[in-house]
């Protein structure tokens, strides 16, 4: 079976590059241990521009991952935290799952209304897209995977990313 390549910082043909700032771009490390329950990792996203931006976050499997908030707006020169929560019963394979973040400019009125489904219409075109691969690490030994997995695709093998803040997610 071929290993599916997941682009880091890469986009599908025709997709615009991601323009907002993230505290992690290469790999999203998530703790996992059998019977541990849910864990989460936060991604800090910063709008360094003078315009309002709206964002939408997608993940590869809604049965494993939840994202809070899945859509939102970022005021100019501010940051938001996006929480990615995993609640897998079995350890997912590394290099299979990813989080995709899309963003585009929006008006101050749209940002204040907070009706992002109206902003992200089916004909909306994102101004930036990024896909961040998810790697599951042992909760006891967070420097390595909790179980052997397929080798990382060539574009991930040289990537070393700092682990973002993690913790246990309780009550949900």
């Amino acid at each position: 079976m071929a290993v599916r390549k997941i682009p880091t910082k890469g986009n599908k043909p025709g997709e615009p590059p991601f323009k907002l700032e993230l505290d992690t771009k290469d790999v999203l490390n998530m703790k996992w241990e059998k019977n541990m329950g849910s864990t989460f990792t936060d991604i800090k996203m910063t709008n360094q521009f003078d315009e309002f931006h709206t964002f939408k976050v997608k993940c590869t499997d809604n049965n494993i991952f939840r994202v809070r908030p899945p859509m939102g707006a970022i005021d100019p020169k501010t940051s938001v935290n996006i929480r990615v929560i995993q609640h897998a019963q079995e350890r997912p394979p590394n290099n299979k799952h990813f989080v995709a973040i899309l963003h585009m400019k929006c008006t101050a009125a749209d940002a204040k209304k907070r009706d992002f489904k109206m902003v992200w219409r089916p004909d909306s075109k994102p101004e930036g897209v990024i896909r961040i691969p998810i790697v599951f690490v042992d909760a006891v030994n967070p420097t390595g995977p909790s179980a052997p997995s397929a080798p990382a695709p060539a574009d991930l093998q040289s990537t070393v990313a700092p682990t973002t803040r993690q913790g246990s997610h309780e009550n949900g």
Side-chain angles (χ1 to χ4, degrees), residues 30 39-41 59 61-68 70 82-87 169 172:
M30 299 222 49
T39 60
F40 65 87
T41 298
C59 53
D61 190 335
N62 290 334
N63 293 318
I64 297 175
F65 303 102
R66 294 286 185 262
V67 178
R68 299 289 180 254
I82 299 169
R83 180 159 286 178
V84 180
I85 305 160
Q86 73 80 22
H87 51 89
H169 179 69

Side-chain angles (χ1 to χ4, degrees), residues 92-149:
N94 286 333
N95 308 316
K96 178 180 178 184
H97 296 285
F98 62 87
V99 173
I101 306 174
L102 300 80
H103 73 85
M104 65 182 176
K105 291 177 195 163
C106 69
T107 66
D110 284 338
K112 300 290 185 249
K113 279 191 237 174
R114 312 212 56 85
D115 187 4
F116 303 113
K117 288 185 180 182
M118 292 304 296
V119 175
W120 285 98
R121 296 177 306 274
D123 62 338
S124 296
K125 300 280 188 235
E127 294 177 16
V129 179
I130 190 168
R131 286 174 183 76
I132 307 170
I134 298 172
V135 173
F136 294 90
V137 296
D138 188 344
V140 177
N141 177 16
T143 60
S146 58
S149 63

